[in-house]
Structure formats: C-alpha cells, structure tokens
C-alpha cells in the first residue's frame, strides 16, 4: 500500500493511488449494481429537462436534501444564549452528538449540551427516570446556573410530559425546587431548527415572566425606556450580535439582548477552558419584562415568542434579516422612533460609505441572476439586498418557509422592477432546486455548504451565505446586519463575480484580452 510512516499521504493524494483506484472500480462492479454507463448518462441528461422537473415537483411523499435541520438544533442554539446555561435534550445520546458536532463544525468551537440518554427501555416505559438522573447529574457535574430542557423525536412519540417530569425531578431532589429549568417541547419530526429556536425562546421568556412554572409569582410589569432585542437563529451570530450592540451603544439606546451566544462560540485561546461564556444574565432576562418594546431581527424565528411578549403589554416589532441600505434604514428608524434616540452621526457616515460602495460596484452586479436557498428570513433579506443592487433573485427557496413567507416574498418582488421574473418556493428541497437550476439557469447560487453539490452538478457558482458553512472558516465572525454587514455581503458577492470572470478569461492568447488587472 502507498501509505507508510515515513511519508504520510493525506486523503487528497492517498485515494488517487493505483491500489485505491482499483479497489473503487471493483467495488462499483461487484457491489453497487452498476448500470451501463450509457444508460446512466441518458438518465442524467433526462434529469436536467423540463419533463423531469414536472415529475420532480409532483412528488408528495418524499423529501430529498431539505435545506433545514430539526427543531432540537434550534432549541440548543436558543438555550446557549443565556448565562451559564446548559441545554438538556430529553432523548438519545446520538441526537445530541449531532447537534454538538453541527455547531462545532460551523463555529469551529466546542458546544456544550447534554442528553437524558434515553434508550430502548425508556422508549417503552417512558423517560422519567432518565430525566430524574440526568438533571441531577447535570446540576452536580457541570454547575450551570440554568438547565434548559427540550425534546427529540423519541420523547415526543411516546408522549413524555416535560412539565410533570421536571416537577417530579425537583420533588426527588435532582435540583432545588426554585432552580431555573425552563422547557419546551421540540418534536424533531415537524417544523425545523427555526421552530425549535422559537419554542425554546418562548419557553424561557414564559418561565421568567410568568412565575417560573409555579415556583414564583408572576412578574408585574413596570415599564421603562429600554428595549429588548432577539436575533433569532443566525449562523452569523458572533459578528451580528456584536454589530447590533455597537449600533445601540452608538445611539445611546438602553437594551437587553435576549439570547446572546456570541461569546460561547468565540472563546479565546488563552489557557483557560470556558464551558460557559457571556450570554444574557438571568436577572436581565427576568427584568426584560419591563422594557418598552421588543425587536426581533427575524420574524419567522419568533412567531410564537413575540405574541407572548406582546401579551405582557410590550410593543413588538419584527424584521426579516435586514441586509443592505434600505433594510438597515427601516430597522434604525424604528429603533429611533421607539426609543427617542437619534441615529448617530457615526451610523450616518457608515450609511454613506455603503451607498458609495454600491455605486462603485453596481455595474458588476446589475442584471445578474441569482438563486437563493436557506431560512425564510435570510432568503428575504438577501433577495431584498440583491434587488437593491439591481440584481434579480430569480429563484428563492426555503424548505422551512410557509404560505405566509411565500406571500411576503411575492410582495417583495412586486416592490421592484428587478423582481418581476422572480419566484419563491416554500416547502421545497434542494432536489427541487437542482431541477430549477437546469431549467431556469442563473448566474450564481447563494446558500450554505451543501450547495457545493449543486455547484458541481449544475455548474452554477456557489456563494456561501447561510447555515451551516462547514468548508470555509470564520464567516460567522463577520456581521451581515447593519451598514457594515451590507458591505461584507457586497464584498462576498463581488469576489465570486470577479473570480468567475477571471476563470473564464484566462486562456493565453484566446480569452485573456479580458483577464484584466482592474475590475
């Protein structure tokens, strides 16, 4: 074999050695029921046609590569936004390993999360004993200030009652009676990670504002002049939350971030291990009931949370992942209106710089055709920004989008001449997107890491924006909100445009007349 201790080959070179090539060919012939190459090629070409697209879009009982994750993933995200809080997922160890690895691969940071380790016996007899032991072990081993409980498929299918289980666990002495254990049911077989985020955020707000599940009196609201801010499920949370804090502080706004995991996923390497870092202080989460208003940066991440907050007497405002000049303007003007604080000269200058950057680069993006997929609010924000640039978001697809999102997208398209040929697809998956990229070609595709397979298959260049991004590093440290965030997104778009121009104009003496130094 070509591998030896004196010259260790990585997989890029190792699997190209003759021994491996022979092994792969043998495996294909003897174990993979391989069809003749000509037949494979015929089917591949047919799968690019309008005829195949019609059959593809007619399927009802099958989903292929949905651009979404399950509820408990979003539940873990929301839980990690609070001070010294550990997410406790009532389910199997394997599920929690997925959530931890998914976040760790995107943020390049360890992600703390525990499970009740349900196995076959719990699936038959219920997971109460797992909850009793699990809460006790978590409380004693990891010393959290709060344990935030959610569920997986197994617990939901058998009907485990979290409220009753947590009460029983406290009676058994797993944790003190007054200890904070908010919870939410997050069945993984419905909804998505966005739904799970919303359910847990609602559960935590309800816990602190409405009596801590019966262990404390309901809080009486005494309005003040501060505002609350909820970011929603956001793969750019490290950069975005810090940018929002900077914006509020430049305006002199009093604020509370409800759910801030930005430090958890950006801990320094300085010799000290931090299981917990940053996060919204629990007292601040409780006192947030007194705020004048709550702002949600992503409407579809807070569809249940905002009505609960509004029921306390607060004003609530929601946005759709604002990217670019107009969307940031709308956000800042509403913050200014509600708080009475003027938009700072610093932010006004930043706006001018972004407008200047758009003017510098508009010729390279005007008229370009894009396909977008991802979470509903992110898709809306990106589509809005593209039209602001004079580009056309021809295809916008959200596997976890619904009829309301689809209608909002239609209204957005109708607001601009660049939206007249654009279509939103709610509830569709990446196999639907594949058909659309063949039958309605675009210049660029915007989405998460999984789009690289669409890029390879359809030849549509991929711009990585979304969650998760596994195969590129540190995007999550850059904001996409605010004027500075809009500039970041603009640069990412332009980089890909220029790379593609260079890639197609670099043949010496044939196409290099456009292989320019200046763009």
């Amino acid at each position: 074999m070509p591998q030896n201790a004196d010259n260790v080959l990585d997989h890029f070179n190792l699997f190209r050695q003759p021994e491996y090539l022979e092994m792969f060919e043998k495996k294909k012939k003897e174990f993979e029921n391989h069809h003749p190459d000509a037949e494979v090629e015929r089917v591949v070409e047919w799968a690019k046609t309008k005829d195949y697209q019609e059959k593809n879009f007619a399927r009802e009982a099958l989903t292929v590569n949905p651009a979404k994750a399950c509820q408990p993933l979003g539940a873990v995200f929301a839980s990690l936004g609070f001070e010294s809080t550990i997410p406790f997922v009532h389910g199997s160890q394997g599920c929690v390993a997925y959530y931890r690895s998914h976040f760790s691969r995107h943020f390049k940071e360890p992600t703390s999360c525990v499970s009740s380790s349900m196995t076959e016996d719990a699936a038959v007899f219920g997971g109460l004993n797992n909850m009793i032991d699990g809460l006790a072990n978590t409380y004693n081993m990891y010393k959290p200030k709060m344990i935030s409980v959610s569920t997986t498929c197994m617990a939901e299918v058998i009907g485990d009652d979290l409220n009753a289980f947590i009460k029983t666990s406290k009676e058994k002495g797993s944790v003190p009676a007054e200890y904070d254990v908010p919870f939410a049911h997050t069945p993984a077989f419905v909804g998505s990670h966005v739904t799970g985020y919303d359910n847990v955020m609602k559960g935590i707000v309800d816990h602190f504002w409405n009596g801590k599940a019966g262990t404390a009196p309901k809080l009486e609201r005494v309005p003040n002049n501060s505002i609350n801010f909820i970011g929603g499920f956001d793969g750019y949370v490290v950069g975005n939350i810090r940018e929002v804090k900077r914006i509020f502080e430049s305006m002199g706004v009093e604020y509370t971030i409800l759910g801030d995991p930005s430090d958890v996923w950006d801990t320094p390497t300085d010799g000290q291990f931090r299981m917990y870092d940053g996060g919204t202080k629990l007292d601040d989460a409780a006192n947030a009931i007194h705020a004048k208003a709550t702002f949600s940066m992503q409407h579809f991440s807070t569809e249940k949370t905002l009505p609960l907050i509004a029921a306390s007497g607060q004003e609530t405002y929601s946005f759709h992942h604002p990217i670019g000049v107009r969307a940031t303007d709308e956000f800042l003007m509403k913050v200014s209106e509600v708080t009475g604080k003027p938009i700072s000269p610093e932010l006004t200058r930043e706006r001018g710089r972004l407008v200047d950057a758009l003017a510098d680069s508009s010729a390279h993006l005007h008229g370009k055709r894009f396909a977008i997929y991802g979470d509903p609010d992110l898709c809306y924000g990106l589509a809005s920004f593209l039209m602001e640039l004079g580009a056309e978001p021809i295809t916008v697809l959200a596997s976890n989008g619904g009829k309301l999102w689809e209608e909002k997208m239609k209204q957005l398209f109708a607001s601009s001449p660049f939206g007249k040929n654009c279509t939103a697809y709610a509830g569709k998956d990446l196999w639907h997107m594949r058909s659309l990229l063949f039958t309605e070609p675009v210049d660029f595709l915007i989405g998460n890491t999984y789009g690289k397979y669409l890029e390879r298959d359809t030849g549509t260049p991929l711009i990585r924006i979304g969650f998760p991004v596994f195969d590129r590093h540190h995007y999550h440290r850059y904001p996409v909100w605010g004027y500075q965030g809009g500039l970041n997104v603009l640069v990412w778009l332009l980089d890909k445009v220029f790379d593609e121009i260079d890639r197609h104009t670099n043949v010496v003496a044939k196409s290099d007349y456009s292989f320019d130094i200046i763009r």
Side-chain angles (χ1 to χ4, degrees):
M1 299 295 286
Q3 192 69 283
N4 63 77
D6 296 325
N7 183 23
V8 177
L9 301 178
D10 62 28
H11 62 94
F12 295 108
N13 296 312
L14 180 64
F15 295 144
R16 288 165 175 75
Q17 301 302 311
E19 294 91 335
Y20 282 97
L21 294 177
E22 182 181 349
M23 181 181 68
F24 294 149
E25 191 63 28
K26 184 177 180 181
K27 178 174 177 286
K28 181 190 296 184
K29 290 180 179 179
E30 297 182 7
F31 298 101
E32 295 183 358
N33 192 29
H34 184 63
H35 291 277
D37 291 342
E39 176 63 10
V40 171
E41 185 61 28
R42 184 192 69 80
V43 173
V44 166
E45 292 304 312
W46 172 65
K48 301 176 183 178
T49 64
K50 196 73 175 178
D51 176 55
Y52 178 81
Q53 179 187 320
E54 292 174 359
K55 292 178 171 57
N56 188 13
F57 272 69
R59 59 184 162 92
E60 298 178 356
L62 174 68
T63 299
V64 184
N65 292 339
K68 65 176 183 177
C70 60
Q71 279 205 54
L73 185 82
V76 171
F77 188 110
S79 300
L80 287 169
F82 293 84
E83 173 192 22
S84 298
T85 295
I86 193 161
F88 182 105
V89 182
H90 187 44
S92 71
Q93 290 180 337
C95 292
V96 172
Y98 155 62
Y99 314 140
R100 294 176 63 187
S101 65
H102 217 63
F103 286 128
S104 296
R105 289 167 178 169
H106 176 84
F107 292 109
K108 312 305 180 192
E109 293 281 346
T111 300
S112 298
C113 180
V114 299
S115 80
S116 58
S117 300
M118 292 176 67
T119 53
E120 290 87 348
D121 58 341
V124 176
F125 301 109
L128 176 58
N129 290 332
N130 298 71
M131 178 71 71
I132 293 170
D133 293 341
L135 287 178
N137 289 338
T138 303
Y139 179 76
N140 289 299
M141 292 178 65
Y142 302 117
K143 306 292 190 283
K145 291 185 178 180
M146 183 168 79
I147 300 173
S148 176
V149 179
S150 56
T151 55
T152 64
C153 297
M154 184 190 300
E156 291 296 328
V157 168
I158 64 177
D160 281 0
D161 184 340
L162 290 185
N163 186 36
F165 280 19
I166 292 169
K167 287 182 177 179
T168 301
S169 298
K170 288 187 173 183
E171 291 169 0
K172 296 286 186 181
S174 297
V175 297
E178 68 280 4
Y179 184 75
D180 292 314
V181 188
F183 65 89
H185 286 272
T186 54
F189 44 78
V190 294
S192 72
H193 56 286
V194 168
T195 321
Y197 177 96
D198 192 14
N199 283 332
V200 165
M201 187 60 67
K202 175 178 178 288
I204 291 174
V205 171
D206 187 52
H207 171 81
F208 282 108
W209 294 9
N210 292 321
K212 296 190 175 184
T215 64
K218 180 178 178 179
L219 294 178
E220 293 297 328
R221 181 169 178 265
V222 181
N224 58 34
N225 291 321
S226 69
I227 63 170
N228 301 322
F229 177 87
I230 303 175
F233 189 102
D234 175 26
Y236 299 87
V237 65
V238 172
N240 274 341
I241 291 295
R242 291 173 183 169
E243 181 67 8
V244 167
K245 290 178 180 178
R246 187 185 68 85
I247 288 172
F248 286 163
E249 288 162 8
S250 78
M251 294 175 63
V253 171
E254 297 177 47
Y255 67 92
T256 296
I257 305 292
L258 280 176
D260 177 9
S262 57
D263 287 337
V264 171
W265 283 316
D266 194 28
T267 57
T269 297
D270 57 5
Q272 177 186 350
F273 171 71
R274 297 169 174 82
M275 176 170 284
Y276 314 108
D277 199 8
T280 305
K281 293 186 180 302
L282 303 189
D283 287 344
D284 290 345
N287 290 328
I289 191 174
H290 306 304
K292 184 176 184 179
T294 293
F295 286 73
S296 167
M297 211 62 154
Q298 297 191 76
H299 175 84
F300 294 104
S301 278
T302 51
E303 287 184 292
K304 297 177 182 178
T305 303
L306 287 186
L308 175 71
I309 292 173
S312 75
Q314 286 189 29
E315 304 168 28
T316 60
Y317 305 95
S318 61
F319 300 86
H320 297 291
H321 215 296
I323 301 172
V325 178
R326 183 178 65 179
T328 301
D329 287 350
E330 292 172 356
F331 171 64
L332 293 183
M333 287 190 292
K334 181 56 68 174
V335 171
S336 178
E337 175 190 329
V338 171
T339 64
K341 301 291 185 179
I343 297 172
S344 66
E346 175 188 3
L347 294 174
T348 302
R349 286 194 297 273
E350 288 179 13
R351 182 186 191 276
R353 292 176 189 132
L354 178 56
V355 172
D356 182 65
L358 299 186
D360 291 341
S361 307
S362 62
H364 294 284
L365 292 165
H366 185 90
K368 292 290 191 297
R369 294 162 54 92
F370 288 81
I372 308 168
Y373 69 89
D375 290 339
D377 290 296
L378 175 62
C379 285
Y380 186 103
L382 286 169
S384 176
F385 186 46
L386 287 174
M387 292 192 297
E388 189 170 62
L389 296 169
E392 300 177 38
I394 296 296
T395 299
V396 184
L397 182 150
S399 297
N400 48 353
K403 291 182 178 179
L404 175 60
W405 172 80
E406 203 168 57
E407 183 58 36
K408 282 181 173 288
M409 292 303 304
K410 289 179 182 178
Q411 294 171 8
L412 176 66
F413 295 149
S415 70
S416 167
F418 301 106
K420 64 180 180 180
N421 297 317
C422 304
T423 307
Y425 297 90
K428 302 302 181 183
D429 55 44
L430 294 188
W431 197 248
H432 292 112
M433 177 63 85
R434 177 186 180 275
S435 283
L436 292 167
L437 291 176
F438 278 123
T439 60
E440 300 174 33
V442 295
D443 299 304
F444 297 94
L445 172 67
I446 301 177
N448 61 26
T449 283
Y450 294 108
K452 69 189 301 179
Y453 297 105
L454 292 172
E455 180 179 39
R456 181 179 65 179
D457 197 10
T458 69
T460 311
L462 172 66
I463 301 168
R464 288 165 175 79
I465 302 177
F467 177 91
V469 175
F470 293 152
D471 60 339
R472 299 292 186 272
H473 288 203
H474 308 304
Y475 283 17
H476 64 277
R477 302 179 190 276
Y478 294 86
V480 300
W481 295 337
Y483 302 123
Q484 182 59 49
L487 182 60
N488 289 334
V489 175
L490 175 66
V491 169
W492 296 339
L493 297 175
L494 290 168
D495 280 352
K496 195 67 174 184
V497 169
F498 295 145
D499 283 344
E500 286 300 299
I501 291 175
D502 286 346
R503 190 168 70 89
H504 289 94
T505 60
N506 63 358
V507 179
V508 177
K510 290 188 177 180
S511 64
D512 61 345
Y513 46 79
S514 295
F515 195 64
D516 297 332
I517 295 297
I518 299 172
R519 297 294 187 193

